[in-house]
Amino acid sequence: MPRSADFIEIESRLGAHNYKPLGVVLTRGQGVWVEDIEGRRYLDCLSAYSAVNQGHCHPRILKALTEQAGRLTLTSRAFHNDQLALFYEELATLTGSHKVLPMNSGAEAVETAIKAVRKWGYEVKGVPAGQAEVIVCADNFHGRTLSIVSFSTDEEARGNFGPYTPGFRIIPFGDADALEAAITPNTVGFLVEPIQGEAGVIIPPTGYFKRVREICTRHNVTLILDEIQTGLGRTGKLLAEEHEGIEADVTLIGKALGGGFYPVSAVLSNTAVLGTLKPGQHGSTFGGNPLACAVAREAMKVLVEEGLIENSARLGEYFLEELRGIRSNVIQEVRGRGLMLAIQFHPEAGGARQYVEALRQRGLLAKDTHEHTIRLAPPLVIKQDEVDWALEQIEAVLTE
Ligand SMILES: Cc1ncc(COP(=O)(O)O)c(C=O)c1O
């Protein structure tokens, strides 16, 4: 019987070392729990970077997947299929969108949005050819493609991948005045995360997005909200934009849209922006395939019908309050919204990784980010007694 160490050795020998995973080899999952090949159980507090909001192997999504997989999986967009229209209808109704463009990964959705707003800029706004600018924020995370890393401020993500795609301006996150100052007649879009996830769950000041919305409208700049991580219930609302009562012009979703089973992403917009894309100008062999659509349709139904968004709001608030009550001299700050939470440690506490390792020993899987922060983002199906159990482990580790 191979042991964890054997799998890890083979991965290390044959795989590119573009990740530094914790030393667990998982073999099954159900709800919030996963199990390694030695039979140890863990509470998953990462949820595959929020792609497993509905919990591991959700039975309803599994059923939708297997039923569709036995019928029709891939047609390409050269033909219609009988799932895509229903996916459009249900997603548009759920999110109040007029147009949908299906892709696969989050990064593809981001790339799609950049292409679409550039085209909108030239064809609708009247920006001179080749001059379109998109404003983005420092410490952003939007994916790993060349154009996206071109406007990253993380040297690890960006270094030695040039030459870089031009046409981006970087401003501080959470600073509406900086946005207004950066806008020029050639600005076509402002691409921003409602809460910066990979940066360590950075929540902007209250009122920021209200002002951003107003500034973008006044300057005819497309507001593109990357809700790939914050969307679909993670922050206690269907979309995080609802916390400030605003509406983006373009919304990007991915991750949990596939219910943890299948990569599905989408660009949601009004007709003006997505309407600029004509046949032959954008696409993907797998985007909008019937298997993806069937999975996503069920994943959305599960979120709504099982009250996962409300659960995220309620237990997120409880989790945050209880975390704030932990008396530990290594904690600098605890923050979060819904079940998107983070503990930031004092710089002199020696790095977050040691706490992640200690939590793993106690059966809780979480991920360190940016050296001094641990992100906590369990599946939204988590129950109160499971939150209490997680809190016990966290308290034990941080007060040891
Ligand atoms: C906000 C945000 N945008 C985009 C992405 C990229 O998504 P993917 O890894 O599916 O390409 C991520 C992934 O973590 C993300 O958090």
Side-chain angles (χ1 to χ4, degrees), residues 49 105-108 110 141-143 193 198 226 228-229 255:
Y49 301 98
S105 67
E108 281 176 303
V110 174
F141 186 86
H142 297 287
E193 299 156 82
E198 296 311 296
D226 179 346
I228 290 164
Q229 189 162 150
K255 294 192 190 272

